[in-house]
Amino acid sequence: MEALKSIIGKVATGATLTREETASAFDGLMSGHATPSQIGGLLMGLRVRGETIEEVTGAASAVRERMPRVEVACDPINIASTSDTVAYSANVMTCASFIVAGADVPVARHANSDTSSGPSTADLLAHLGVNVDLKPEAVARCVHEAGIGFSFASAHYPAMQRVGQIRTALGTHTILNLIGPLSNPTRVKRQIVGIFAREWVQPLAYVLKNLGAESAWVVHGSNGLGEVTLTGPTFVAALEAGTVRTFEVTPEQAGLARCDKETLESGEAKANAVALQNVLDGVPGRFRDAALLNAAAALIVAGRVETLQEGVALAQHALDGGSAAVRLKRLIAVSNT
């Protein structure tokens, strides 16, 4: 691990790493041979100095190479949020995922099985009856047969669980929060990623471009959440045909009303599971509207619609016609067989 020590020493001086150096360092972390001190030192060194586009690209590339692939024949989309300290965003993105799947767009999600605080996506799904401890081939079967599948880092690569535990113990965002959605073992080409900080909206779009994405939105709500928000403008960097452009969107553009952040609080995993099931069962409310808004954005990225209003209309059809609820039922059945 002398190479890793040398790289950590370079980071300690405030110098930036090349894409190749960062890939080498994270390959060392993923090997399982790095000590907790080395893992924590590298993560915090990058965090304090500030990560670069090249470093995030290199780290994500290394993690992707280590993750066992989920082989699918379709062209799925990933819908994710890096705001793992705020369970609400994860819940909205998860609900939006079932809506998008209900609109006949295959979804291959990748998420962490734990968060810095609050219930995780895995907790939510487990309360809904989904088996979240699946091997890659089982996740692929879920995508093919249910139209939606979820991969969890610790289940697919044990070394990630150890690194993730250290990340959680640090109690702050690190480069791992940035590369989580980028390390999808399904190698998706289309993504909508909610990011925890506005300053990372445009850079992360360039990272996705470096990693071979074809279509993507990186979003950050003006309320601080990693999602397309109902509370005000959302900052967006869109990757389209190899070009990154930035703009803002509002709930009004989607035909939805704004609301206060306080009305968008989440609870424990069981309560969140009930709230998600209610949306799929047709219960109106702000959670439904937030999920519709994010599903609409995902449908743009998937190439199914051109505007948020068109996306909301298609998403509403998936909910009101019952197809989104069917996707959850199918996922529960397929994941448990």
Side-chain angles (χ1 to χ4, degrees):
M1 301 303 292
E2 290 303 316
L4 179 58
K5 290 180 182 179
S6 176
I7 290 172
I8 294 173
K10 183 175 180 178
V11 171
T13 69
T16 60
L17 303 177
T18 65
R19 186 183 304 189
E20 293 73 22
E21 286 174 326
T22 314
S24 175
F26 273 79
D27 188 66
L29 263 60
M30 296 301 103
S31 71
H33 299 304
T35 68
S37 295
Q38 289 172 329
I39 295 171
L42 179 61
L43 295 179
M44 286 308 299
L46 293 170
R47 172 74 171 85
V48 172
R49 192 251 292 143
E51 303 89 348
T52 68
I53 292 174
E54 287 296 289
E55 288 168 344
V56 177
T57 301
S61 298
V63 174
R64 290 173 89 175
E65 286 302 311
R66 285 275 185 173
M67 294 283 282
R69 295 192 65 159
V70 175
E71 302 286 355
V72 296
C74 56
D75 181 22
I77 186 172
N78 183 33
I79 303 168
S81 174
T82 60
S83 294
D84 73 339
T85 57
V86 184
Y88 175 78
S89 290
N91 298 335
V92 167
M93 292 300 202
T94 302
C95 190
S97 298
F98 287 108
I99 297 172
V100 171
D104 293 325
V105 174
V107 176
R109 284 280 306 274
H110 182 241
N112 291 308
S113 56
D114 62 344
T115 62
S116 299
S117 65
S120 68
T121 301
D123 296 327
L124 172 65
L125 292 172
H127 274 283
L128 289 167
V130 177
N131 182 359
V132 298
D133 187 21
L134 298 178
K135 299 297 183 183
E137 57 272 17
V139 176
R141 184 157 53 86
C142 288
V143 175
H144 288 142
E145 297 183 18
I148 183 170
F150 289 80
S151 303
F152 294 97
S154 60
H156 279 200
Y157 195 68
M160 283 294 291
Q161 185 173 21
R162 181 164 168 262
V163 174
Q165 289 170 346
I166 295 171
R167 176 201 63 136
T168 301
L170 291 174
T172 186
H173 287 116
T174 70
I175 193 172
L176 291 178
N177 295 87
L178 296 170
I179 68 176
L182 314 182
S183 308
N184 193 313
T186 315
R187 304 296 197 273
V188 293
K189 298 294 185 181
R190 302 173 184 274
Q191 294 206 58
I192 174 168
V193 180
I195 189 70
F196 57 83
R198 182 179 179 180
E199 61 265 26
W200 269 107
V201 171
Q202 187 176 38
L204 204 65
Y206 282 105
V207 173
L208 284 165
K209 179 182 177 181
N210 289 343
L211 294 171
E214 296 175 355
S215 176
W217 273 27
V218 182
V219 302
H220 176 75
S222 55
N223 57 357
L225 296 183
E227 64 187 47
V228 187
T229 182
L230 285 174
T231 66
T234 295
F235 311 107
V236 183
L239 172 63
E240 304 162 332
T243 301
V244 174
R245 68 183 181 98
T246 59
F247 52 93
E248 293 184 5
V249 298
T250 64
E252 291 82 2
Q253 289 176 258
L256 298 171
R258 298 192 186 198
C259 68
D260 295 330
K261 183 177 179 180
E262 288 70 26
T263 65
L264 301 176
E265 300 295 332
S266 70
E268 295 303 315
K270 184 176 181 179
N272 294 338
V274 171
L276 188 149
Q277 185 66 67
N278 284 342
V279 171
L280 298 186
D281 289 341
V283 177
R286 288 308 191 189
F287 187 25
R288 171 189 165 103
D289 289 349
L292 285 172
L293 183 56
N294 283 272
L299 290 168
I300 291 176
V301 173
R304 288 293 305 277
V305 299
E306 294 185 358
T307 69
L308 286 173
Q309 276 199 322
E310 291 173 349
V312 167
L314 182 56
Q316 287 175 328
H317 180 74
L319 275 180
D320 298 338
S323 57
V326 168
R327 295 299 183 183
L328 173 57
K329 292 178 182 177
R330 286 292 299 151
L331 178 61
I332 294 169
V334 175
S335 68
N336 284 286
T337 56

